[in-house]
Amino acid sequence: MKACVRVAVMAATVGVPIAAWGQSATDGSLVELAELAGFNALERAAARANQATYNQLVGPCANGAGAQCSDGDLSVFQETRELVETANELLGSGSTRYSLGLDAEGLGFALRWTAAEEMAGQGSATTRFAASQLSALATRLSVLRWGVSGLRTVRNASDDRDILLAGAARSLGAGASADVPGDFNRWGSFVDASYGYGSKDPTDLEDAFDFDGEEITVGVDYRFRPSLVAGAIVGYSAKEIDFDSSLSIVDGGIESDGFSGLVYGLWEGTSAYASASVGYQILTHDTTRRITYPSQNPTVLSVDSTARSKTDSGTLMATANAGYSWRLRAFSIDPALDVVYSDTTIDAFTETSIDNLGSGGNDPFNLQVGKQSIESLDVSPSLKLQYVFTPSFGVIIPYVVGRYHFELSDDAHVISTRYADALGQLFGSGDTDFAVSTDVPDDEYYTLAGGFTVVLPHGLNGFVQYLEVFDFDAYTDSVITAGFRFEF
């Protein structure tokens, strides 16, 4: 139900016209209207911050700029005054000279424009790059296990011959022999590329957006023994988020790019295997945020501003994995358990805003955005099914893997912002912060991936994989990955 309808229904229910509602002495008309009109959580947070900012500035700035009120203070005061007096008009109490003349729904939309919920997209871009890099590592380790394991032998049912996959990388069709495990390529290098895309539905706290991005991963590893490998990878990512103004009160986007580095180790026995990795990623986020809402008051200008910002994020990543392979001739079933931990910090920053209408003077809509911290602990059991084909030119291993994710660190985080042009007046007043909470992360979802690995002569192998995320609230997410490996 739209906000203006909710207001009318509530007024009719209590038998009192809107004009008779009194203004709260402590909170103010914006907060009161937000509660009475049933605004959503983001709109209520914006109402509290704008009202508290107005309350802080009305004393020094009511009579214009001066010794106690800078030009920046005044511009923020005038903007919040318009919102407060719009609520006054709807409530029928207080000054209305600078009212925007909006109904309750329009005021709720204006309040949402002033908030900075778009910044939640920075966390989404950061965590998805980390997840993509770790997914690339998991796929790489799987290819490494099948491609060059000196301990792995399969019997292909079609031609009833033994194939030792370490030997297949050099001489196809050779039978397994006792001396082959000691004869293996120790160094390997690889390149992977992936493209991911998807969308997010709107919620009360976060905006709708579409996203896509490309990633390139290169690495090298060394096989100390047939069962033990250690290596390192470096990845580059470029991702873009476009906010969907047809579904949310929002416009703009986020462009993120940066690098990651990981070191890893793999141990593989005859059937059991385990791996671990640790790494760090750095991203730069360029954010554009549009702020636009109308005025029905001919003496008050409409709002059309654009705020831009740049900030960096850093993420510590660590993984552990253990699994077991049950084989029946060329077919295998691999149950496994993965644990993934990430700890992300997004640096504090200040936006720079401009008035697109060219009215001159200070534009008040740039915000100071506080540091964000995002922690995740994901535990995911998985099951992988695969089959080894041995045509004359090499080895082909198609596979499918399903993974169920349990997020154990599932707290939402709060993005704290305030008007940057009035920091001197607002410093120390926590009520003036836009304390905008993100959505609570999904604590359960699953992924399904399918692809194939090809092992060719002379130490060359590669893979192609398609992965899709399911049952992830508000998100659709798909990733296509391909890569090759060369051993020497």
Side-chain angles (χ1 to χ4, degrees), residues 168-238:
R170 291 177 299 280
S171 57
L172 298 171
S177 62
D179 60 344
V180 171
D183 179 22
F184 55 85
N185 295 323
R186 293 187 178 273
W187 286 100
S189 61
F190 53 86
V191 177
D192 298 346
S194 69
Y195 173 73
Y197 59 93
S199 62
K200 182 184 182 301
D201 295 330
T203 67
D204 281 352
L205 294 172
E206 296 188 20
D207 298 311
F209 57 76
D210 299 318
F211 62 91
D212 63 358
E214 305 83 30
E215 292 167 9
I216 297 176
T217 303
V218 297
V220 63
D221 52 51
Y222 183 81
R223 184 173 290 275
F224 295 91
R225 298 195 300 271
S227 59
L228 183 63
V229 183
I233 66 174
V234 175
Y236 171 77
S237 174

Side-chain angles (χ1 to χ4, degrees), residues 252-426:
I254 302 173
E255 295 181 358
S256 302
D257 67 286
F259 296 89
S260 70
L262 288 162
V263 293
Y264 61 88
L266 168 68
W267 171 85
E268 182 183 9
T270 304
S271 296
Y273 57 90
S275 65
S277 71
V278 63
Y280 196 79
Q281 74 172 23
I282 298 174
L283 293 180
T284 296
H285 309 276
D286 290 294
T287 303
T288 299
R289 189 172 66 90
R290 185 88 176 272
I291 308 100
T292 177
Y293 53 85
S295 170
Q296 307 301 327
N297 183 342
T299 65
V300 177
L301 292 176
S302 297
V303 168
D304 188 352
S305 296
T306 300
R308 291 184 170 86
S309 62
K310 176 179 285 189
T311 189
D312 297 323
S313 66
T315 301
L316 173 67
M317 304 173 289
T319 71
N321 162 272
Y324 192 89
S325 291
W326 276 288
R327 304 187 193 97
L328 179 61
R329 293 184 177 270
F331 179 74
S332 74
I333 301 175
D334 289 24
L337 181 68
D338 292 272
V339 179
V340 177
Y341 172 79
S342 66
D343 186 4
T344 296
T345 298
I346 302 175
D347 295 339
F349 61 94
T350 299
E351 297 177 303
T352 300
S353 65
I354 60 170
D355 183 358
N356 298 320
L357 299 178
S359 59
N362 286 48
D363 188 83
F365 291 99
N366 48 311
L367 298 178
Q368 185 187 67
V369 181
K371 183 173 69 174
Q372 301 178 54
S373 297
I374 308 168
E375 194 172 27
S376 172
L377 180 60
D378 181 277
V379 177
S380 54
S382 64
L383 186 66
K384 185 174 187 178
L385 308 177
Q386 50 198 359
Y387 190 88
V388 179
F389 292 97
T390 55
S392 59
F393 62 84
V395 178
I396 301 176
I397 309 161
Y399 65 87
V400 61
V401 55
R403 182 172 282 107
Y404 205 94
H405 295 261
F406 297 90
E407 176 58 59
L408 302 184
S409 179
D410 57 356
D411 294 332
H413 72 281
V414 174
I415 304 172
S416 181
T417 67
R418 65 177 62 180
Y419 288 110
D421 285 346
L423 290 179
Q425 297 281 358
L426 305 179

